[in-house]
Amino acid sequence: MNSISRRRFLKISGATVVTAAALAGASKTVVKAAESYSKPKGLQIIPSYCDLCFWKCGLLAYVKDGELWKLEGNPKDPLSNGRLCPRGTGGIGAYFDKDRLKSPLIRKNLRGEEKWIEVTWDEAFNYIADKMNKIKGQYGPEAMALFSHGIGGNFFKHLMRAYGTPNETAPSFAQCRGPREVGFELTFGDIVGSPERTDIENAKCIVLIGSHLGENMHNTQVQEFSRAVEKHASIIVVDPRFSVAASKAKYYLPIKPGTDMALLLAWMSVIVNEKLYDVEYVNKHGFGFEKFASEVSHYTPEWAYVETGIDPDIIRETAREMARYKPATLVHPGRHVTWYGDDAQRSRAIALLNALLGSWGRKGGFYIPYSFSIPKYPYPPYPEEKETVHNPDNKYPFATGEQISTGIREATITGKPYPIKGWFIYGTNLLQALPNQSETIKAIQNLDLMVVVDVVPSEIACWADVVLPESVYLERYDDLNASPFKEGFVGIRQPVIDSPNDQKPNWWMAKKLAEKLGLGHYFPWKDIEEYLDTRLKSAGLSLDELKKEGIIKGPSKPIYLEDGAEIEFATPSGKIEFYSTQLEQSGSDPVPKYTKHPEPPAGYFRLLFGRAPVHTFSKTQSNALLRDLFPENELWVNSDLAQRYGIKTGDKIKLKNQDGVISDPIKVRATERIRQDCVYMVHGFGQKSRQLRSTYKVGASDAELVTQYKTDPLMGGTGMNVNFVTFEMEV
Amino acid sequence: MPRYGMVIDTLKCVGCSDCVIACKTENNIPEGYNRDWIVTEARGKFPTINMEIRTERCNHCSETPCVSCCPTGASHIHDVGGVVLVDHEKCIGCKACVEACPYDARYIHPDGYADKCTFCIHRVEKGLKPACVEVCPTYCMHFGDLDDPNSEVSKLLQSRKWHVNLPDAGTKPNIFYLV
């Protein structure tokens, strides 16, 4: 091996040698295809906002002599402060991706066989409209469902409401942050939201429970975390794996997976029993504190030690540490929290711990966010809709804000409470996002129509009847971004370069399809610029100015209680509910209780998964810039355990789960940085789309091994950290 | 004359590789190659672990085996800031410098010349920071004049503990890691 490959492969994040695809020429080919228009000379710097994840950081695109050169953060943007994360910086790789979809496709053979006929947009829309009209005639419009992730789905949401279906979902609820939002809403009457309202930079004590900031690159949070480290914040990390964040921590608690609730209850008992809580805050804002206190006071650190493996003295010490810095102690609510099926209650316990510390609404805790208010476009009213399908008989009583993706999947399989015959999927790879792939595939078999809109032939696109190729974010306008944050702002996404082939933006697809469906009057604007202009004018803003600046900020407001910000607890009592009458009425625990979760049988290990800083879900693996730095995932195995099994770093093994499902081969990373009762891999690999040549079966898919999931009785979330795997040595 | 250097705070670095990607796009580095990289060193036995994360690149040393071994004069010290550069036109791709560098900071570009970090001198001469410093979401990288006692980098070295990579190599590196 020469020094070049040593450098590339050994020094970057521990990645090891793979066959390097000869791609140097591929990107040039794509650029050449775009040379039909006359390229402007010189350097253009065009503001927009990022789409590599959902954070929507403001960016500046540098286009040199008509060629896309690089992306930087927009210094005016409060989310990025002029610094994109590695994915955002590598965003040009999405434009140059050699496996991009180029034209609309209609399925030729059976679903999933990946045989396609290239068609015109008109043919594709005719096909879809014909099927949608048939579905409407036979089953009613509610038999269509939309799965959508990201702001690019907005115009399809509008289209589906206009068509007459109420069934619209995103896996970001029941497969990700839903339990957190429900747990916090039950307690404080409001959700955490996105971007999270965490005031990390001002926190004097930060508690991360499984949340691996730094590997999980939510830009603002990582920037603020770094500032907190600089200011010597006391950091407490609870994780079965020694994460990057753990390396910055004063206390690292190597908890046994599945026992976080025991630790939370013990922490609360110490804080209650030693009267370390924010008495004034609790008295002023709390409801049902006495009942809560008498319940939690029984969970001693000694009891929790048996469950968690954490030394009782450390439990006491860390509880006191949190209390010492209150209210500037932030017990971070996490984001991907669908772990064990009692996740809404665990999230509620986190909310209650924060309530004890008085951190909700306080500097260094959870600030009170606000948005730049921009009126919606004045559309005609939607037709009357049937009940949604995702949660029949209100089985999950607190799945109220958003819909349960797996509930729509279930209805598609069973036809109850009514049939779902069409799936329209935008920007989400359901095969990796939903647990138990065989259920997803079973549901797909019941469909009369499946449409996937994507930029690359993702795994879910393989199963579609029609695939619509979308322009990447650098080639299109999207809706305005006015996320709730520490300051009000509005950001624009606008094209910085032309699409290289026949890709089209989502708004154009939605409008054209609406016209085919006889719903053109729901899209009264000529193009999206007219739509954006209308919205902006109604807020007293100008499209031209926003296109020039990328970001316009609104007037500032106080965001902390101590600065005069107003807070409303939209709970039944109008207060912070230490004791929840809503939960009591629904037959659930009004104060969280500990549930003991099954442990892996002998010879099996709990499968855990998480994020790498250069990838988002399963959507960035084919981006050559990002793939270069993290080409495949590895299986983290504790060094002693690896030695016992005779496996070492770099060995390829397969994993077999409790149901006999066997993974693709994955490289072992023998490390001291993880417990012996679990293994860990980065999510999003082991993809099965043959058209994604660079990622096909590279690494292993955790999603494939997640055949079991435990459903949260409060809100239908799917706990996915309940699968156990063993090592298959023969590869 | 300034002596350019970097001071990198390992306590803040999360090893996200943003610096690597920013370098690649800024300098059009071909796929499969990079001028900077991340090193993660974990020591100890679970759960008692000590971990340092560093972003590394050419150290722009004051003693330069890569320059003294170059048969054509392609490898040279720039007249501004003591930055070590390679003149692509003069380079014959003999790899002597690649072998001489104890930090493994050089590679042969597919176009045939030795390539490595330039401290983004094309940006620095315009008053900008190197791309890696400018992009870092943790603000862990600092660039400036080590000979100016009032520069940010000098002040950081005065106030914090630091180390350099391979101090025994005798190269007097100009990248310092705060610990």
Side-chain angles (χ1 to χ4, degrees), chain A residues 3-4 6-8 11-13 23 69-70 72 81 83-86 89-90 92 214 217 219 223 226-227 229-230 240 242 244 247-248 252 254 613-614 624-629 640 672-675, chain B residues 10-18 20-22 24-26 28 31-34 36-40 42 44-47 49 51 53 98 103-108 123 133-139:
Chain A
S3 59
I4 297 161
R6 266 212 317 280
R7 170 170 313 104
R8 179 203 166 185
K11 285 186 174 171
I12 303 280
S13 314
L23 291 179
W69 170 24
K70 65 173 178 176
E72 291 182 356
N81 298 303
R83 297 180 177 225
L84 297 175
C85 86
T89 306
I92 61 168
M217 276 313 284
N219 195 350
Q223 294 195 16
S226 158
R227 260 172 260 154
V229 169
E230 185 174 24
F242 189 85
V244 164
S247 74
K248 318 288 182 197
Y252 169 54
V614 299
L625 264 168
L626 303 179
R627 188 181 64 236
D628 216 9
L629 293 181
D640 292 348
E672 288 294 339
R673 292 175 55 194
I674 190 166
R675 288 173 61 97
Chain B
T10 62
L11 298 184
K12 289 166 78 178
C13 178
V14 295
C16 72
S17 305
D18 210 353
V20 183
I21 298 173
K24 291 191 67 155
T25 59
E26 173 70 28
N28 291 312
E31 190 178 338
Y33 301 89
N34 39 277
D36 51 350
W37 59 90
I38 302 293
V39 173
T40 301
K45 195 83 190 149
F46 187 85
I49 292 174
M51 195 160 96
I53 307 171
V98 174
Y103 304 101
D104 206 3
R106 293 171 171 239
Y107 66 95
I108 301 296
R123 289 172 59 92
V133 176
E134 190 69 43
V135 78
C136 176
T138 70
Y139 300 78

Side-chain angles (χ1 to χ4, degrees), chain A residues 73 85 119 134 181 183 187 200 203 343 387 470 488 493 545 548 571 590 623 648 708:
Chain A
C85 86
V119 296
K134 281 186 180 145
E181 308 298 28
T187 309
I200 298 173
D343 306 302
E387 273 291 300
E470 195 189 11
R493 179 174 292 154
E545 192 195 343
K548 202 166 126 253
T571 55
N623 174 325
K648 57 186 189 310
Q708 300 286 324

Side-chain angles (χ1 to χ4, degrees), chain A residues 600-646:
Chain A
Y604 281 77
F605 312 95
R606 190 182 298 274
L607 175 65
L608 301 177
F609 56 91
R611 306 285 181 221
V614 299
H615 287 299
T616 301
F617 314 142
S618 57
K619 68 185 236 177
T620 52
Q621 281 74 5
S622 66
N623 174 325
L625 264 168
L626 303 179
R627 188 181 64 236
D628 216 9
L629 293 181
F630 197 103
E632 64 180 297
N633 60 354
E634 297 170 307
L635 185 74
W636 292 46
V637 181
N638 174 277
S639 301
D640 292 348
L641 183 66
Q643 201 174 17
R644 274 210 300 287
Y645 278 80

Side-chain angles (χ1 to χ4, degrees), chain A residues 370-381:
Chain A
Y370 63 97
S371 318
F372 198 130
S373 173
I374 297 174
K376 289 184 172 161
Y377 191 91
Y379 285 128

Side-chain angles (χ1 to χ4, degrees), chain A residues 261-332:
Chain A
M261 184 72 106
L263 176 65
L264 287 160
L265 291 167
W267 272 340
M268 291 196 281
S269 87
V270 174
I271 290 171
V272 165
N273 291 337
E274 298 186 10
K275 276 217 163 37
L276 299 173
Y277 55 93
D278 187 332
V279 176
E280 194 188 328
Y281 180 93
V282 167
N283 285 346
K284 186 170 174 197
H285 300 298
F287 168 84
F289 179 75
E290 293 307 320
K291 277 198 229 174
F292 158 84
S294 70
E295 266 204 50
V296 298
S297 62
H298 303 299
Y299 298 104
T300 62
E302 283 70 22
W303 164 81
Y305 166 68
V306 179
E307 302 301 320
T308 61
I310 308 292
D311 182 337
D313 290 338
I314 293 291
I315 296 177
R316 282 197 180 81
E317 200 175 318
T318 45
R320 290 169 191 152
E321 183 85 354
M322 287 180 229
R324 180 174 308 139
Y325 295 107
K326 71 175 184 295
T329 294
L330 173 71
V331 187
H332 196 286

